[in-house]
Amino acid sequence: MISLVVVSHSRPLARAAAALAAEMSSAEGPAVEVAAGLDEDTTGTDALAISEAVTRADAASGGEGVLVLLDLGSAVLSGEMALEMLEPEVAERVRLSAAPLVEGLIAAVVAAGTGADLDACAAEAVRGLDAKRTHLGEPGAADQTPGDAQGEAADDPCEWGCIEVSVTGEHGLHARPAARLVTTAGAVSPGTRVRVRNQTTGTGPVDALSLSGVATLGAQQGHVLRVEATGEQAEQILAQIADLARTAFGDEPGPAEPMADVETPAPAVSEEPGVAGSGLEAAMGPAVLDQTVPEPRDLETGSPAEERGRLGEAVDEAFDRLRELAGHARRHLGQGQAEVFDAHATLLRDPELSADADRRIGEGRPAALAWQDAVDAVADRFERLPDAYLQERAQDVRSIGERVMRLLLGVTEPESLGEGILVVDELDPALAISLDAAEIQGVVTRRGGGLGHGVLIARARGVPVLTGVGDRADVTAGTMIAFDVRSGRLEIDPPAEVQAAFGDMLDRRHRERERALADAHLPALTRDGARVAVKANVSSVATARLGAGLGAQGSGLVRTEAVFAQWHRAPTVEQQVEVYTAMAEAFAPHPVTVRTWDVGGDKPLDFIPVAEEANPFLGVRGIRAFRDDPGLLLDQLEALCRVARTHRINVLFPMVTSVDDVDWSRARLQEAARRIGLSAPPHQLGVGIMVEVPAVAVRLTRLARGLDFVSIGTNDLSQYTLAAERGNPAVSRWSDALDPALLQLVRYICDRAPQGVVVSVCGELASDPDVAGLLVGLGVRELSASPSAVPTVKARLRTVSLRELQDLAAGAVAARDAAAVRELLLTAP
């Protein structure tokens, strides 16, 4: 394919334009050379440098030709002079273009990526401003009429095949999605032609190989495009474009974990120690402190050009390292974790961040201070956002900032941190994936919560993490630390007897874990033959496959709102079908239970607005959020009905309170079934309700009539029974799920469930192996735990008899308080 050369008076401008164009092209796009500026800081053009860049570009093109884009004034003269320096046969393959530098370069790069020749790419470059002119209504804009594209009349029925697709992207068909459309359309044989119209505005058709043409369609969110194709590959290319449109032309974030890139794991998920979750959820050892980046003081400041050069080299090196980490994560943890580092690399190239740092350097600041201030400004903006998830993205900004600061200040990353408990302010994702899990037994963070990418990566690797402990973790290196994530217990410099108790607990959990992993796929049968189904709570396709690999007998809870937590728009029925099918296939032949949208309280979603309430946990939550407008719920139920025609799947309705709630929910399921031409939901689709509200527990015999199962959500049931919000630390002493009152309520539910209705527990209690046995003693016969806890829960149940568990449950219900229940668990068989 042809190559391109960018000639500009400013080297930073040329590099930025080339980088922007590269984002619009595929990895196999054309070579782009830069011949700009006299040096990093001095403007001007150099004919010799241009001729050398053209020579390199010509070699890369294989003789296909070189398009040279010039900015202004002497750049044109320098370009012409450069041609005179070239060998005649090379000069004949070079075209100087007066096209706009940025828009023309992008248009030409995309066109070249589709295989367009030099003439076509030059023409595309010249039309680079048409989209902007059209949008602003300026004279000179391309006035494309329906007969303009590829010489075909718009109303000719001819032999063109066509499809209509919706533009669902939040920002319409802007540069990147338009470039993806052009690239997709360009992957056809010469005999196939593709054109596009905007049916909503009546503009077009335009050649689908023309980025500028596609951009001039002005397609916004909600517009409908008509894509037409003719030739031997017409049907194939239309199908590919239809698939692309379903992802908002590549702008849709996709399922929480892309499906094709995560293999179903065996119990040992990779060769890395600890991957798949250690399952211990506790650790003890001396405090290990990461080498912090010192405050930059008394820095010598070079010229602006020198400081910009230093910063540029550091950013480039940091970028390369992040790409290495992305590859490492992709191999060992799956595509979802790799995208964390891809996102960091993109953030590192953020033009706003770079421009701010560059401006500060221009004001006389050294590179390190300029970079730090620019990073702090961006991080501060994230922290001021109202959304908790977005607030924690400030960690990502500080992470990439610190990586560059280390390079600028010469602070190398140590090859080994040492052995013990790592104590940090916040856990950086790069540090999390680089930890030697054989040396670092656990991590304690002073700030941040469980949503930080570093925390998620560490936990995925099996390293237990206790987050947000504040100044309790202000310790010196070597201070003994012990913690248990299950209970939230943190011990700083504990006495010998506490250390001994923690050591015994860790040894016991480790032995249990080893045995449990070896027998992960065996059924959970008590010693006297009682069978318990142990399933996994999942929030992505990747965790579904992890749970299946660790012996989970299906999923007892798919948290839909977590699967689509990062989406800004509601997923379509087709997108949901894809996700639920992948999960069902991961667990086959065992069933998967999908909880319908559970929003409100502490679970916001961008595309399901819930009004602010004085008491959100007692307000419009779960199924209540759809009583006035059930549209999104119906889409989800339709998707589940579609999947249930070929896979075992259950639907679980949350926050049910009354008989009317149950009847209304089942009526919506019936309505969804009729959408796909069925008279009733598929027979493989089980129906259940969450038992979270005490009112449901006391009237369960009536509410559960005709259902297949009920699922006890111990997290919410405890807060409603004990009148203590689970997320409020001020009332934590009253919010203990092992309170005998709650345990008695669980036993009541099991006793009152109608014949044939399975009672499941999907709350956090089911993930504790000791408590899991207590739940079975209370009458529960199905548990859904975190994936990493599944093998240990199953193994624990195999060591005891049902009679022993029933005796334990009787003692727990009669105990004085939750502390007394824990004492019972410590002495249980």
Side-chain angles (χ1 to χ4, degrees), residues 596 622-624 626-627 630 633-634 637 651-673 681 687-690 707:
T596 61
I623 206 71
R624 301 174 180 179
F626 301 95
R627 293 301 294 261
L633 177 63
L634 285 170
L637 296 177
V651 60
L652 176 61
F653 293 104
M655 204 58 189
V656 168
T657 307
S658 64
V659 174
D660 181 63
D661 283 344
V662 177
D663 292 345
W664 182 87
S665 299
R666 301 197 72 169
R668 300 292 75 72
L669 182 60
Q670 182 75 21
E671 183 179 350
V687 181
I689 59 172
M690 292 285 294
L707 297 178

Side-chain angles (χ1 to χ4, degrees), residues 9-308:
H9 282 68
S10 168
R11 190 171 297 177
L13 172 62
R15 283 178 174 167
L20 182 61
E23 290 186 17
M24 309 298 173
S25 180
S26 65
E28 296 77 28
V32 179
E33 294 285 341
V34 170
L38 301 181
D39 57 38
E40 289 291 341
D41 197 45
T42 308
T43 59
T45 55
D46 183 339
L48 179 59
I50 297 171
S51 67
E52 292 172 347
V54 170
T55 300
R56 294 192 299 272
D58 181 66
S61 76
E64 294 292 323
V66 178
L67 182 63
V68 181
L69 288 97
L70 316 127
D71 57 5
L72 73 166
S74 64
V76 179
L77 299 176
S78 297
E80 291 174 335
M81 188 179 299
L83 289 185
E84 297 177 1
M85 298 179 182
L86 298 170
E87 295 293 331
E89 62 273 17
V90 175
E92 290 177 359
R93 297 192 289 268
V94 179
R95 178 79 56 83
L96 300 183
S97 174
L101 189 64
V102 177
E103 296 89 343
L105 177 62
I106 292 172
V109 162
V110 173
T114 67
D117 60 18
L118 182 59
D119 289 339
C121 291
E124 274 296 289
V126 170
R127 290 197 294 267
L129 286 178
D130 286 354
K132 193 187 301 182
R133 286 172 170 164
T134 298
H135 181 78
L136 296 176
E138 293 183 354
D143 185 19
Q144 190 104 19
T145 63
D148 288 340
Q150 302 174 342
E152 296 287 347
D155 54 355
D156 281 351
C158 63
E159 71 280 10
W160 293 71
C162 70
I163 57 172
E164 289 191 351
V165 297
S166 297
V167 179
T168 59
E170 185 175 3
H171 302 294
L173 207 63
H174 62 88
R176 287 185 182 85
R180 295 184 189 107
L181 172 58
V182 172
T183 300
T184 302
V188 294
S189 61
T192 302
R193 292 181 291 168
V194 187
R195 64 191 185 190
V196 188
R197 315 167 186 267
N198 187 331
Q199 294 287 84
T200 304
T201 63
T203 55
V206 298
D207 186 346
L209 300 184
S210 168
L211 179 62
S212 58
V214 171
T216 61
L217 293 175
Q220 301 297 312
Q221 186 178 38
H223 286 189
V224 175
L225 301 180
R226 179 184 175 93
V227 185
E228 303 167 338
T230 185
E232 60 183 22
Q233 290 184 288
E235 185 175 343
Q236 173 186 339
I237 202 65
L238 288 175
Q240 291 175 0
I241 291 175
D243 289 341
L244 181 64
R246 280 192 283 271
T247 68
F249 294 92
D251 266 13
E252 186 62 74
E257 297 285 347
M259 289 164 243
D261 298 313
V262 184
E263 297 181 356
T264 302
V269 177
S270 88
E271 69 271 19
E272 291 193 30
V275 174
S278 69
L280 303 183
E281 297 181 279
M284 181 172 65
V288 175
L289 306 182
D290 186 25
Q291 184 177 4
T292 58
V293 179
E295 288 292 326
R297 302 177 187 275
D298 303 323
L299 298 176
E300 294 184 6
T301 307
S303 68
E306 291 171 336
E307 294 301 305
R308 289 183 177 114

Side-chain angles (χ1 to χ4, degrees), residues 472-484:
R472 287 190 294 162
D474 288 341
V475 297
T476 58
T479 302
M480 186 61 65
I481 294 177
F483 70 86
D484 182 8

Side-chain angles (χ1 to χ4, degrees), residues 422-549:
L422 177 64
V423 180
V424 292
D425 282 339
E426 295 173 322
L427 185 56
D428 170 62
L431 179 58
I433 201 172
S434 303
L435 290 176
D436 186 340
E439 293 187 346
I440 298 298
Q441 285 87 45
V443 179
V444 173
T445 74
R446 299 183 186 92
R447 299 197 313 247
L451 296 177
H453 284 137
V455 175
L456 298 177
I457 288 173
R459 286 175 174 164
R461 297 189 61 218
V463 179
V465 184
L466 187 66
T467 62
V469 302
D471 56 12
R472 287 190 294 162
D474 288 341
V475 297
T476 58
T479 302
M480 186 61 65
I481 294 177
F483 70 86
D484 182 8
V485 178
R486 293 181 188 175
S487 64
R489 181 181 176 190
L490 173 65
E491 298 283 349
I492 303 295
D493 197 16
E497 60 271 19
V498 174
Q499 291 188 40
F502 255 91
D504 290 344
M505 178 187 70
L506 290 171
D507 288 342
R508 175 171 57 84
R509 288 187 184 179
H510 181 74
R511 290 192 301 271
E512 289 175 352
R513 184 65 174 174
E514 291 297 312
R515 291 194 299 268
L517 285 173
D519 298 335
H521 291 279
L522 295 179
L525 288 172
T526 64
R527 287 187 306 172
D528 48 357
R531 182 179 293 271
V532 180
V534 181
K535 302 184 177 184
N537 297 334
V538 302
S539 57
S540 69
V541 175
T543 54
R545 288 172 175 161
L546 176 63

